[in-house]
Amino acid sequence: PTPSAAVPSVPSAPSVPTPTLNMAQLVDDDPVLGNPNAPVTIIEFSDYECPFCGRFYSDTLGQIKSQYIDTGKVKFVYRDFPLSFHVQAEPAAIAANCAGEQGKYFEYHDLIFSNGGAAGKTQTNYESWATQLGLDVQAWKTCTLDPAQRQEVQKDMADGAAAGVRGTPGFVINGQLVSGAQPFSVFQQIIEAELQ
């Protein structure tokens, strides 16, 4: 099993489900990939500077996307959980959210992770990616300075912490908390059980 960025190694099985988790509330107004009415919802609480989040993106998300998201079985929701010791995690989250204001959230998300994550990046990188995606860069820049964007990221963190997320990446799958960059097989097992 792969450890989370902020917690020790975890077993490959998911932790005990927390029945009080309100999935509709946890989805909030965050970016969604896939069928909004899919029977399974995966919410990822993630940090753009976290190497384990990058590993989930490169090793696992593509398989989940091709087998479950693209087939209408899974709705995937991305929420921000920037760890305090990752200085670029919050600026990257805000940059991506502002790309989302122009309908390009996941395209921007993919650019961050496919370029090695936010570690060592600067505003110049973020602006370059906004240009690359054909965003209205001036509107995007204005958005990144809006205090409401930081508040949105902080709300994601508070909601994740309340749901039991302690490190990144953290996932809630139809009410089950799963910690760490687990292999595809762990997600597959839970998704298939939920689809029964």
Side-chain angles (χ1 to χ4, degrees), residues 81-138:
F81 203 84
L83 302 172
S84 60
F85 53 89
H86 286 158
V87 296
Q88 285 301 315
E90 186 176 270
I94 291 169
N97 287 339
C98 288
E101 295 287 328
Q102 298 185 42
K104 297 278 181 115
Y105 183 85
F106 279 103
E107 293 87 341
Y108 201 96
H109 160 281
D110 294 354
L111 274 177
I112 295 172
F113 280 124
S114 62
N115 281 282
K121 302 301 190 293
T122 65
Q123 191 64 22
T124 304
N125 298 107
Y126 304 139
E127 191 173 323
S128 166
W129 295 333
T131 302
Q132 187 177 332
L133 290 175
L135 301 182
D136 174 336
V137 176
Q138 194 52 53

Coordinates of all heavy atoms in Angstrom, one line a residue, residues 81-138:
F81 N -7.5 20.1 -0.9 CA -7.0 19.9 0.5 C -5.5 20.2 0.6 O -4.7 19.3 0.8 CB -7.3 18.4 0.9 CG -7.4 18.1 2.4 CD1 -8.6 18.3 3.0 CD2 -6.3 17.7 3.1 CE1 -8.8 18.0 4.4 CE2 -6.4 17.5 4.5 CZ -7.7 17.6 5.1
P82 N -5.2 21.5 0.4 CA -3.8 21.9 0.3 C -3.2 21.8 1.7 O -3.6 22.5 2.7 CB -3.8 23.3 -0.2 CG -5.2 23.8 0.2 CD -6.1 22.6 0.2
L83 N -2.2 21.0 1.9 CA -1.5 20.8 3.2 C -0.6 22.0 3.5 O 0.0 22.6 2.5 CB -0.6 19.5 3.1 CG -1.4 18.2 2.9 CD1 -0.5 17.1 2.7 CD2 -2.4 18.0 3.9
S84 N -0.6 22.4 4.7 CA 0.1 23.7 5.1 C 1.5 23.8 4.7 O 2.1 24.8 4.5 CB -0.1 23.9 6.6 OG 0.5 22.8 7.3
F85 N 2.2 22.6 4.6 CA 3.7 22.6 4.3 C 3.9 22.6 2.8 O 5.1 22.5 2.4 CB 4.4 21.5 5.1 CG 3.8 20.1 4.8 CD1 4.2 19.3 3.8 CD2 2.8 19.7 5.7 CE1 3.6 18.1 3.6 CE2 2.3 18.4 5.5 CZ 2.7 17.6 4.5
H86 N 2.9 22.6 2.0 CA 3.0 22.7 0.5 C 2.7 24.1 0.1 O 1.5 24.4 -0.1 CB 2.1 21.7 -0.1 CG 2.6 20.3 0.0 ND1 1.8 19.2 -0.2 CD2 3.8 19.8 0.2 CE1 2.5 18.1 0.0 NE2 3.7 18.4 0.2
V87 N 3.7 24.9 -0.1 CA 3.4 26.4 -0.3 C 2.7 26.7 -1.6 O 2.0 27.7 -1.7 CB 4.7 27.2 -0.2 CG1 5.3 27.1 1.2 CG2 5.8 26.8 -1.2
Q88 N 2.9 25.8 -2.6 CA 2.2 26.1 -3.9 C 0.9 25.4 -4.1 O 0.2 25.6 -5.0 CB 3.1 25.7 -5.1 CG 4.3 26.6 -5.3 CD 3.8 28.1 -5.6 OE1 2.9 28.3 -6.4 NE2 4.4 29.0 -5.0
A89 N 0.5 24.6 -3.1 CA -0.8 23.8 -3.2 C -2.0 24.8 -3.3 O -2.9 24.6 -4.1 CB -0.9 22.8 -2.1
E90 N -2.1 25.8 -2.4 CA -3.2 26.7 -2.4 C -3.2 27.6 -3.7 O -4.3 27.7 -4.3 CB -3.3 27.5 -1.2 CG -4.6 28.3 -1.1 CD -4.7 29.1 0.2 OE1 -5.3 28.5 1.1 OE2 -4.2 30.2 0.3
P91 N -2.1 28.2 -4.1 CA -2.1 29.0 -5.3 C -2.5 28.1 -6.5 O -3.2 28.6 -7.4 CB -0.7 29.5 -5.4 CG -0.1 29.5 -4.0 CD -0.8 28.3 -3.3
A92 N -2.0 26.9 -6.6 CA -2.4 26.0 -7.7 C -3.9 25.7 -7.7 O -4.6 25.7 -8.7 CB -1.6 24.7 -7.7
A93 N -4.4 25.5 -6.5 CA -5.9 25.2 -6.4 C -6.7 26.4 -6.8 O -7.7 26.2 -7.6 CB -6.2 24.9 -4.9
I94 N -6.3 27.6 -6.4 CA -7.0 28.8 -6.8 C -6.9 29.0 -8.4 O -7.9 29.3 -9.0 CB -6.4 30.0 -6.1 CG1 -6.9 29.9 -4.6 CG2 -6.9 31.3 -6.7 CD1 -6.2 30.9 -3.7
A95 N -5.7 28.7 -8.9 CA -5.5 28.9 -10.4 C -6.4 27.9 -11.1 O -7.1 28.3 -12.1 CB -4.0 28.6 -10.7
A96 N -6.5 26.7 -10.6 CA -7.4 25.7 -11.3 C -8.9 26.1 -11.1 O -9.6 26.0 -12.1 CB -7.2 24.3 -10.7
N97 N -9.3 26.5 -9.9 CA -10.6 26.9 -9.7 C -11.0 28.1 -10.7 O -12.1 28.2 -11.2 CB -10.9 27.3 -8.3 CG -10.9 26.1 -7.4 OD1 -11.1 25.0 -7.8 ND2 -10.7 26.4 -6.1
C98 N -10.1 29.0 -10.9 CA -10.3 30.1 -11.8 C -10.4 29.7 -13.2 O -11.2 30.3 -14.0 CB -9.3 31.2 -11.6 SG -9.6 32.1 -10.0
A99 N -9.7 28.6 -13.6 CA -9.8 28.0 -14.9 C -11.2 27.4 -15.0 O -11.9 27.5 -16.1 CB -8.8 27.0 -15.2
G100 N -11.7 26.9 -13.9 CA -13.0 26.3 -13.9 C -14.1 27.3 -14.1 O -15.2 27.0 -14.6
E101 N -13.8 28.6 -13.7 CA -14.8 29.7 -13.9 C -15.0 29.9 -15.4 O -16.0 30.5 -15.8 CB -14.3 31.0 -13.2 CG -14.2 30.9 -11.7 CD -15.6 30.9 -11.0 OE1 -16.5 31.6 -11.6 OE2 -15.7 30.3 -10.0
Q102 N -14.1 29.4 -16.2 CA -14.2 29.6 -17.7 C -14.4 28.2 -18.3 O -14.2 28.0 -19.5 CB -12.9 30.3 -18.2 CG -12.7 31.7 -17.7 CD -11.6 32.4 -18.4 OE1 -11.4 32.3 -19.6 NE2 -10.8 33.2 -17.6
G103 N -14.8 27.3 -17.5 CA -15.2 25.9 -18.0 C -14.1 25.0 -18.4 O -14.2 24.0 -19.1
K104 N -12.9 25.3 -17.8 CA -11.7 24.5 -18.1 C -11.0 23.9 -16.9 O -9.8 23.8 -16.8 CB -10.7 25.3 -18.9 CG -11.2 25.8 -20.3 CD -11.0 24.8 -21.3 CE -11.5 25.3 -22.7 NZ -10.5 25.4 -23.7
Y105 N -11.9 23.5 -15.9 CA -11.3 23.0 -14.6 C -10.4 21.8 -14.8 O -9.2 21.8 -14.5 CB -12.3 22.7 -13.5 CG -11.6 22.4 -12.3 CD1 -11.2 23.3 -11.4 CD2 -11.3 21.0 -12.0 CE1 -10.4 23.0 -10.3 CE2 -10.6 20.7 -10.9 CZ -10.1 21.7 -10.0 OH -9.4 21.3 -8.9
F106 N -10.9 20.8 -15.4 CA -10.2 19.5 -15.4 C -9.0 19.6 -16.4 O -8.0 18.9 -16.2 CB -11.1 18.3 -15.7 CG -11.7 17.8 -14.4 CD1 -13.1 18.1 -14.1 CD2 -11.0 17.2 -13.4 CE1 -13.7 17.7 -12.9 CE2 -11.6 16.8 -12.2 CZ -12.9 17.1 -12.0
E107 N -9.2 20.4 -17.5 CA -8.1 20.6 -18.4 C -6.9 21.2 -17.6 O -5.7 20.8 -17.8 CB -8.5 21.5 -19.6 CG -9.5 20.9 -20.5 CD -11.0 21.1 -20.1 OE1 -11.2 21.4 -18.9 OE2 -11.8 20.9 -20.9
Y108 N -7.2 22.2 -16.7 CA -6.1 22.8 -16.0 C -5.6 21.9 -14.9 O -4.3 21.8 -14.8 CB -6.7 24.1 -15.3 CG -5.6 25.1 -14.9 CD1 -5.3 26.2 -15.8 CD2 -4.9 25.0 -13.7 CE1 -4.3 27.1 -15.4 CE2 -4.0 25.9 -13.4 CZ -3.7 26.9 -14.2 OH -2.7 27.8 -13.9
H109 N -6.4 21.2 -14.3 CA -6.0 20.1 -13.3 C -5.0 19.2 -13.9 O -4.0 18.9 -13.4 CB -7.3 19.4 -12.8 CG -7.2 18.1 -12.2 ND1 -7.0 16.9 -13.0 CD2 -7.2 17.7 -10.9 CE1 -6.9 15.9 -12.2 NE2 -7.1 16.3 -10.9
D110 N -5.4 18.7 -15.1 CA -4.5 17.8 -15.8 C -3.2 18.4 -16.2 O -2.1 17.7 -16.1 CB -5.2 17.3 -17.1 CG -6.4 16.4 -16.8 OD1 -6.7 16.1 -15.6 OD2 -7.1 16.0 -17.8
L111 N -3.2 19.7 -16.6 CA -1.9 20.3 -16.9 C -1.0 20.4 -15.7 O 0.2 20.2 -15.7 CB -2.1 21.8 -17.4 CG -2.4 21.9 -18.9 CD1 -2.7 23.3 -19.3 CD2 -1.2 21.4 -19.7
I112 N -1.6 20.7 -14.5 CA -0.8 20.8 -13.3 C -0.1 19.5 -13.0 O 1.1 19.4 -12.9 CB -1.6 21.3 -12.1 CG1 -2.1 22.7 -12.3 CG2 -0.7 21.2 -10.8 CD1 -3.1 23.1 -11.2
F113 N -0.9 18.4 -13.0 CA -0.3 17.1 -12.6 C 0.6 16.5 -13.7 O 1.6 15.9 -13.4 CB -1.5 16.1 -12.3 CG -2.0 16.3 -10.9 CD1 -3.3 16.5 -10.6 CD2 -1.1 16.2 -9.8 CE1 -3.8 16.6 -9.3 CE2 -1.6 16.3 -8.5 CZ -2.9 16.6 -8.3
S114 N 0.2 16.8 -15.0 CA 1.1 16.3 -16.1 C 2.4 17.0 -16.2 O 3.3 16.6 -16.8 CB 0.3 16.2 -17.4 OG 0.0 17.5 -17.8
N115 N 2.5 18.2 -15.5 CA 3.7 18.9 -15.5 C 4.5 18.8 -14.1 O 5.2 19.6 -13.7 CB 3.5 20.4 -15.7 CG 3.3 20.7 -17.2 OD1 4.3 20.7 -18.0 ND2 2.0 20.8 -17.7
G116 N 4.2 17.7 -13.4 CA 4.9 17.3 -12.2 C 4.4 17.9 -11.0 O 5.0 17.9 -9.9
G117 N 3.1 18.4 -11.0 CA 2.5 19.0 -9.8 C 3.0 20.4 -9.6 O 3.7 21.0 -10.4
A118 N 2.5 21.0 -8.5 CA 2.7 22.4 -8.2 C 4.1 22.7 -7.5 O 4.5 23.9 -7.4 CB 1.6 23.0 -7.3
A119 N 4.8 21.7 -7.1 CA 6.0 21.9 -6.4 C 7.0 22.7 -7.3 O 7.2 22.3 -8.4 CB 6.7 20.6 -5.9
G120 N 7.5 23.8 -6.7 CA 8.5 24.6 -7.4 C 7.9 25.5 -8.5 O 8.6 26.2 -9.2
K121 N 6.6 25.5 -8.7 CA 6.0 26.3 -9.7 C 5.7 27.7 -9.2 O 5.8 28.0 -8.0 CB 4.6 25.7 -10.2 CG 4.7 24.3 -10.7 CD 5.7 24.1 -11.9 CE 5.6 22.8 -12.6 NZ 6.1 21.6 -11.9
T122 N 5.4 28.6 -10.1 CA 5.2 30.0 -9.8 C 4.0 30.5 -10.5 O 3.4 29.8 -11.4 CB 6.4 30.9 -10.1 OG1 6.5 30.9 -11.6 CG2 7.7 30.4 -9.5
Q123 N 3.6 31.8 -10.2 CA 2.5 32.4 -10.9 C 2.8 32.4 -12.5 O 1.8 32.3 -13.2 CB 2.3 33.8 -10.4 CG 1.1 34.5 -10.9 CD -0.2 33.8 -10.4 OE1 -0.2 33.1 -9.4 NE2 -1.3 34.0 -11.1
T124 N 4.0 32.5 -12.9 CA 4.3 32.5 -14.3 C 3.9 31.2 -14.9 O 3.3 31.1 -16.0 CB 5.9 32.6 -14.5 OG1 6.2 33.9 -13.9 CG2 6.2 32.7 -15.9
N125 N 4.1 30.0 -14.2 CA 3.6 28.7 -14.7 C 2.1 28.7 -14.9 O 1.6 28.3 -15.9 CB 4.1 27.6 -13.8 CG 5.6 27.4 -13.7 OD1 6.1 27.8 -12.6 ND2 6.2 27.0 -14.7
Y126 N 1.5 29.2 -13.8 CA 0.0 29.2 -13.8 C -0.6 30.0 -14.9 O -1.5 29.6 -15.6 CB -0.6 29.6 -12.4 CG 0.0 28.8 -11.3 CD1 0.4 29.5 -10.1 CD2 0.1 27.4 -11.3 CE1 0.9 28.7 -9.0 CE2 0.6 26.7 -10.3 CZ 1.0 27.4 -9.1 OH 1.5 26.6 -8.1
E127 N 0.0 31.2 -15.1 CA -0.4 32.1 -16.2 C -0.2 31.4 -17.6 O -1.0 31.5 -18.5 CB 0.3 33.4 -16.1 CG -0.3 34.5 -17.0 CD 0.3 35.8 -16.7 OE1 0.5 36.2 -15.6 OE2 0.4 36.6 -17.7
S128 N 1.0 30.8 -17.7 CA 1.3 30.1 -19.0 C 0.3 29.0 -19.3 O -0.1 28.9 -20.5 CB 2.7 29.5 -18.9 OG 3.0 28.6 -19.9
W129 N -0.1 28.3 -18.3 CA -1.1 27.2 -18.5 C -2.5 27.8 -18.9 O -3.2 27.3 -19.7 CB -1.2 26.3 -17.3 CG 0.0 25.5 -17.1 CD1 1.0 25.2 -18.0 CD2 0.5 25.1 -15.8 NE1 2.0 24.5 -17.4 CE2 1.8 24.4 -16.1 CE3 0.0 25.1 -14.5 CZ2 2.5 23.8 -15.1 CZ3 0.8 24.5 -13.5 CH2 2.0 23.9 -13.8
A130 N -2.8 29.0 -18.3 CA -4.1 29.6 -18.6 C -4.1 30.1 -20.1 O -5.1 29.9 -20.8 CB -4.3 30.9 -17.7
T131 N -2.9 30.6 -20.5 CA -2.8 31.0 -21.9 C -2.9 29.8 -22.8 O -3.6 29.8 -23.8 CB -1.4 31.7 -22.1 OG1 -1.4 32.8 -21.2 CG2 -1.2 32.1 -23.6
Q132 N -2.2 28.7 -22.4 CA -2.2 27.5 -23.2 C -3.6 26.9 -23.4 O -3.9 26.4 -24.5 CB -1.3 26.4 -22.5 CG -1.1 25.1 -23.3 CD -0.2 24.2 -22.5 OE1 0.7 24.6 -21.7 NE2 -0.3 22.9 -22.7
L133 N -4.5 27.1 -22.4 CA -5.8 26.6 -22.5 C -6.8 27.6 -23.2 O -8.0 27.3 -23.4 CB -6.4 26.3 -21.1 CG -5.8 25.0 -20.5 CD1 -6.3 24.9 -19.1 CD2 -6.0 23.8 -21.3
G134 N -6.2 28.7 -23.6 CA -7.0 29.7 -24.3 C -8.0 30.5 -23.4 O -9.1 30.9 -23.9
L135 N -7.7 30.6 -22.1 CA -8.5 31.3 -21.2 C -8.4 32.8 -21.5 O -7.4 33.3 -22.0 CB -8.1 31.0 -19.8 CG -8.2 29.5 -19.3 CD1 -7.8 29.4 -17.8 CD2 -9.5 28.9 -19.5
D136 N -9.4 33.6 -21.0 CA -9.3 35.0 -21.0 C -8.4 35.3 -19.8 O -8.8 35.2 -18.6 CB -10.7 35.6 -20.7 CG -10.6 37.1 -20.5 OD1 -9.6 37.7 -20.1 OD2 -11.7 37.8 -20.8
V137 N -7.1 35.5 -20.1 CA -6.1 35.5 -19.0 C -6.3 36.7 -18.0 O -6.1 36.6 -16.8 CB -4.6 35.6 -19.6 CG1 -3.6 35.7 -18.5 CG2 -4.4 34.3 -20.4
Q138 N -6.8 37.8 -18.5 CA -7.0 39.0 -17.6 C -8.1 38.6 -16.6 O -8.0 38.9 -15.4 CB -7.3 40.2 -18.4 CG -7.3 41.5 -17.6 CD -5.9 41.6 -16.8 OE1 -4.9 41.6 -17.4 NE2 -6.0 41.8 -15.5

